[in-house]
Amino acid sequence: MTRLLFPLLVAVMLLASAASAQPGRKANGPLFQRLEKLGLSSEQKSALKDAMRDHKKKMIDLHASAQKKRMDIADVMDKETPDRQTYEKLSKEMADIQLQQRMLMFDMRQSLMNNLTPEQRKIWLESKGDGAGQFRGREGKGP
């Protein structure tokens, strides 16, 4: 499932950045082209842009929380005798942050899918292999 979520998230981010790009500047790449194939209406683009903005704000907060938690874990491990209970507690908190990030990506995907017509969903799902594989390395499932 995460194989589909990350490319979808990247595609949505590309669409959002293209919508806010300077005039005359055009986004390229397989994921953007995949979105272009959908023929999104201006209402769909606007809804997607709003959803992406909200998603990005939440993801920034979660990313910052994860970085802080990593620092806390490093502080525990830097001690001469690290406390196992503290390490376990912080590790569970880190896992919770990671789960929140995954669920946020899932919700973003659902938001996209809910804004597509049945025909657009069909096109999106049929083209899911177009360019998606290039991001597998970030998930540890590729080169």
Side-chain angles (χ1 to χ4, degrees):
M1 181 198 277
T2 57
R3 279 185 169 181
L4 294 175
L5 289 178
F6 186 74
L8 180 64
L9 175 63
V10 171
V12 172
M13 290 173 66
L14 285 172
L15 180 65
S17 65
S20 63
Q22 298 172 358
R25 195 169 170 198
K26 187 167 182 152
N28 293 319
L31 293 172
F32 183 77
Q33 291 169 1
R34 195 171 158 209
L35 281 170
E36 285 290 307
K37 290 179 186 177
L38 300 178
L40 298 173
S41 69
S42 59
E43 293 83 19
Q44 287 174 309
K45 288 178 183 177
S46 177
L48 203 52
K49 184 178 177 183
D50 291 345
M52 188 56 213
R53 181 176 287 122
D54 183 53
H55 169 83
K56 194 171 184 179
K57 285 179 182 181
K58 290 176 183 176
M59 196 58 88
I60 288 168
D61 291 340
L62 287 171
H63 183 72
S65 295
Q67 285 183 312
K68 290 176 186 177
K69 200 59 63 184
R70 282 186 198 97
M71 291 175 69
D72 292 342
I73 291 170
D75 289 343
V76 168
M77 294 307 293
D78 283 344
K79 294 182 179 175
E80 188 173 324
T81 54
D83 181 62
R84 187 179 197 285
Q85 288 180 334
T86 303
Y87 180 81
E88 181 180 9
K89 177 183 174 278
L90 292 171
S91 295
K92 286 180 180 180
E93 291 171 2
M94 182 66 180
D96 184 54
I97 292 168
Q98 291 170 336
L99 176 62
Q100 289 177 50
Q101 288 174 322
R102 289 182 182 272
M103 295 311 299
L104 189 58
M105 289 187 330
F106 177 86
D107 292 343
M108 187 63 224
R109 179 193 184 278
Q110 292 306 105
S111 177
L112 170 68
M113 296 305 279
N114 290 338
N115 279 303
L116 298 179
T117 65
E119 181 62 29
Q120 288 170 327
R121 279 193 293 272
K122 182 180 175 192
I123 293 168
W124 179 261
L125 294 173
E126 286 174 353
S127 68
K128 72 181 177 182
D130 299 346
Q134 67 190 14
F135 297 104
R136 284 193 199 135
R138 294 212 41 188
E139 297 178 312
K141 296 181 181 169

